[in-house]
């Protein structure tokens, strides 16, 4: 299927690894020009280098960084059609999960919201005028099933993602008539460096459950979270949904939430 993304200009945050890297790769394969936003260039992102890829090195917890990233994309490619707010998860220097509401301090809550909510709000604010100048465009905010299903774990993270889901619907309502579509993709537990890095979620879960990181990654995490597929989600599976949502082929889809979670969420 031709997603009709040739020559479209996209900004993708958190683009150096995991879901963001998969989104960046997929949009490039579909012919888009992509400003890949991350603090550093990973070897995997560097392997995608070419005339349609621009790396924008910023720390999105800096309040000025999202607008700077959008401006750099517009300067390089002449406009903006797509914004994917993918950056999220543990802020720099933080390991998740946290297993108690009492674990995060006020500073932890602030840094979590800066990274997972406020950076996206600032990027949307910067992107909207440029999208309007092109007659419309598409925004996809990557949230999490934890924003949908409260639990006694990662409470600050889930609250930030729930806030981003609310922002999505509000911005969709305001700008739908002007051609800007805004949607949410909510992944479940996904096989990203958040899980696989040394000291990451797999190691933390293994320590808490008395198992091994290999067991957690193979099936333990999926089983404990109720993923019907019995495995963690692939980053590419999330990227494919994002690519379809930013495509003009999804022209009547806005204010919607698409869950990619291996069957974790079961409520109607």
């Amino acid at each position: 299927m031709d997603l009709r993304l040739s020559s479209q200009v996209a900004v993708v945050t958190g683009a150096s690894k995991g879901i963001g890297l998969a989104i960046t790769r997929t949009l490039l394969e579909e012919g888009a020009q992509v400003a890949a936003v991350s603090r550093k260039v990973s070897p995997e992102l560097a392997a995608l280098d070419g005339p349609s890829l621009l790396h924008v090195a910023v720390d999105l917890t800096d309040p000025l960084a999202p607008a700077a990233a959008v401006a750099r994309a517009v300067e390089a490619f002449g406009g903006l059609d797509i914004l994917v707010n993918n950056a999220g998860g543990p802020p720099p220097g933080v390991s998740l999960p946290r297993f108690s509401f009492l674990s995060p301090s006020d500073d932890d809550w602030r840094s979590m919201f800066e990274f997972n909510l406020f950076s996206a709000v600032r990027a949307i604010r910067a992107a909207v005028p440029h999208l309007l100048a092109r007659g419309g465009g598409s925004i996809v905010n990557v949230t999490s099933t934890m924003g949908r299903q409260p639990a006694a774990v990662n409470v600050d993270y889930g609250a930030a993602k729930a806030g981003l889901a609310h922002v999505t619907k509000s911005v969709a309502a305001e700008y739908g008539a002007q051609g800007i579509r805004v949607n949410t993709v909510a992944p479940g537990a996904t096989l990203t460096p958040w899980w696989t890095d040394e000291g990451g979620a797999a190691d933390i879960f293994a320590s808490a459950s008395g198992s091994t990181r290999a067991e957690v990654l193979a099936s333990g995490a999926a089983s404990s979270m109720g993923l019907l597929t019995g495995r963690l989600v692939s980053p590419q599976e999330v990227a494919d949904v994002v690519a379809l949502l930013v495509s003009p082929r999804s022209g009547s889809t806005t204010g919607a939430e698409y869950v990619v979670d291996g069957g974790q969420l079961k409520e109607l």
Side-chain angles (χ1 to χ4, degrees):
M1 178 189 296
D2 179 8
L3 295 182
R4 293 158 43 192
L5 294 176
S6 180
S7 300
Q8 295 268 295
V9 178
V11 169
V12 179
T13 67
S16 65
K17 55 187 178 181
I19 293 171
L21 178 66
I23 294 169
T24 298
R25 182 187 299 112
T26 302
L27 295 183
L28 288 170
E29 289 172 350
E30 292 293 332
Q33 298 170 297
V34 182
V37 182
S38 63
R39 288 182 298 149
K40 299 177 182 178
V41 177
S42 65
E44 295 81 4
L45 181 60
L48 302 177
D49 189 35
S52 294
L53 178 66
L54 167 73
H55 180 248
V56 182
V58 295
D59 180 351
L60 289 169
T61 62
D62 175 355
L64 300 179
V70 169
R72 183 72 185 89
V74 171
E75 177 187 23
F77 296 128
L80 184 66
D81 304 287
I82 297 163
L83 170 65
V84 181
N85 281 310
N86 165 75
V94 174
S95 295
L96 295 180
R98 296 186 179 111
F99 292 106
S100 171
F101 170 76
L102 297 179
S103 295
S105 66
D106 281 1
D107 285 342
D108 291 328
W109 277 85
R110 290 188 190 98
S111 63
M112 190 65 73
F113 270 63
E114 282 288 346
F115 191 41
N116 286 277
L117 177 58
F118 298 153
S119 68
V121 168
R122 291 165 181 146
I124 294 169
R125 185 187 297 138
V128 163
H130 297 290
L131 297 176
L132 292 175
R134 302 273 262 207
S138 178
I139 299 172
V140 170
N141 296 318
V142 178
T143 59
S144 167
T145 53
M146 298 198 74
R148 285 274 307 273
Q149 183 61 62
V153 60
N154 297 339
V155 179
D156 49 346
Y157 173 73
K161 290 301 191 182
L164 185 54
H166 182 101
V167 168
T168 298
K169 290 184 177 291
S170 297
V171 179
E174 180 170 358
Y175 290 103
Q178 298 175 70
I180 298 177
R181 299 183 300 105
V182 194
N183 294 289
T184 297
V185 173
T190 304
L191 192 60
T192 66
W194 176 356
W195 282 87
T196 59
D197 278 352
E198 188 78 21
D203 288 330
I204 295 172
F205 269 104
S207 177
S209 63
S211 60
T212 67
R213 65 181 278 116
E215 291 169 341
V216 168
L217 291 172
S219 61
S223 176
S224 67
M225 295 180 182
L227 275 64
L228 301 180
T229 56
R231 62 173 176 82
L232 299 182
V233 176
S234 158
Q236 187 61 52
E237 291 168 334
V238 182
D240 289 341
V241 175
V242 172
L244 180 59
L245 282 175
V246 301
S247 164
R249 289 187 176 275
S250 297
S252 290
T253 304
T254 192
E257 180 182 54
Y258 281 73
V259 177
V260 187
D261 70 345
Q264 176 190 1
L265 296 180
K266 300 170 182 66
E267 70 276 12
L268 295 177

